[in-house]
Amino acid sequence: MREKTERVIREWTDTCDAEVSIAVLGGAWKPSILKALAEHGVLRFGELGRLLDNPTARVLTRQLRELEQDGLVTRTVYQQVPPKVEYRLSELGESAGPLVEALTRWGGHYAGLQRATAAVAAPTAG
Amino acid sequence: MREKTERVIREWTDTCDAEVSIAVLGGAWKPSILKALAEHGVLRFGELGRLLDNPTARVLTRQLRELEQDGLVTRTVYQQVPPKVEYRLSELGESAGPLVEALTRWGGHYAGLQRATAAVAAPTAG
DNA sequence: CGGCATCCTCGTTGATACTG
DNA sequence: CAGTATCAACGAGGATGCCG
């Protein structure tokens, strides 16, 4: 588990467990990564990058390592040339599936509402 | 709506709506605030602070303003001395209730698992 | 192919002190 | 009571370049 996740669990769990979920899922690209892995089952590093609109390798690596440390994702390295690394969801990662879906649904709902509001506020922009 | 929220909607909605939810709910204390308002209905600034383990006024104000800008919370000012300000959930804020509950449940589940793992890894610590 | 090292920028959190 | 002003610290995200 990441040090940050551990700290959040220590400091927030009594008051609000939701902060823990956000600490684990809240990094840039993380929900996208989890969704992609849930849909495809197993993905290589490069495939993942292409599915996610090409974040820099530095950033993608980092998010994957964090998800791995937090136990949501497993990483399999094949010792060969050229290198091959596979990522897939752990059981814990799969358990987050419904939550990610809930986040997606509400986020879509929210975005739709706000865009409708913006369209009313500035109708000549379109 | 906050500029940040707007940017996230612009940049992420096609790929992953979940990022929108995290942008809106992801600030420190925000899930706690929403939960407190959901339970109590209406709360004054000071009451809210006491329920949340006393964040600094600077921080609490900021989170409330952001939630207000994002349309989840409404703020009512009573022009009197001493001042009195009430916060309550908007309809949109109430619509986030089940999501916050889902975050809380999974976060609690995760924290429980990780603590059990830590206890096994370092049994002499207790 | 799948990284790591380095550097930089920005936003967020928070402490402290003060105010209408 | 319910804030605001100022300042400091920190970490996340990302650009760029190199490597086995």
Side-chain angles (χ1 to χ4, degrees), chain A residues 57-102:
Chain A
R58 164 81 166 76
V59 171
L60 181 54
T61 301
R62 180 171 213 188
Q63 306 309 319
L64 285 168
R65 288 291 192 286
E66 292 184 358
L67 288 171
E68 191 192 359
Q69 282 183 55
D70 282 341
L72 304 209
V73 159
T74 63
R75 179 168 175 263
T76 313
V77 181
Y78 295 86
Q79 281 298 349
Q80 62 181 51
V81 179
K84 176 178 168 183
V85 179
E86 285 181 352
Y87 293 90
R88 72 196 71 202
L89 292 181
S90 68
E91 209 173 309
L92 192 51
E94 282 174 12
S95 82
L99 179 54
V100 174
E101 276 179 43

Side-chain angles (χ1 to χ4, degrees), chain B residues 75-92:
Chain B
R75 180 167 173 264
T76 313
V77 181
Y78 295 85
Q79 282 298 352
Q80 61 181 52
V81 178
K84 175 178 170 183
V85 178
E86 285 180 350
Y87 294 90
R88 72 197 72 202
L89 293 182
S90 68
E91 209 174 310
L92 192 52

Side-chain angles (χ1 to χ4, degrees), chain A residues 9 12-13 15-19 21-22 25 29 31-32 70 92 95-96 99 103-104 106-108 110 113-115, chain B residues 12-13 15-19 21-22 25 29 31-32 35 70 92 95-96 99 103-104 106-108 110 113-115:
Chain A
I9 290 179
W12 284 97
T13 290
T15 348
C16 187
D17 286 339
E19 304 271 359
S21 295
I22 289 175
L25 305 178
W29 307 102
S32 307
D70 282 341
L92 192 51
S95 82
L99 179 54
L103 286 165
T104 302
W106 193 84
Y110 182 89
L113 278 182
Q114 296 295 2
R115 282 211 273 247
Chain B
W12 284 97
T13 290
T15 350
C16 188
D17 286 338
E19 304 271 0
S21 295
I22 290 174
L25 305 177
W29 307 102
S32 307
K35 263 178 55 182
D70 282 341
L92 192 52
S95 81
L99 179 54
L103 286 165
T104 302
W106 192 84
Y110 181 89
L113 278 182
Q114 296 295 2
R115 282 212 272 249

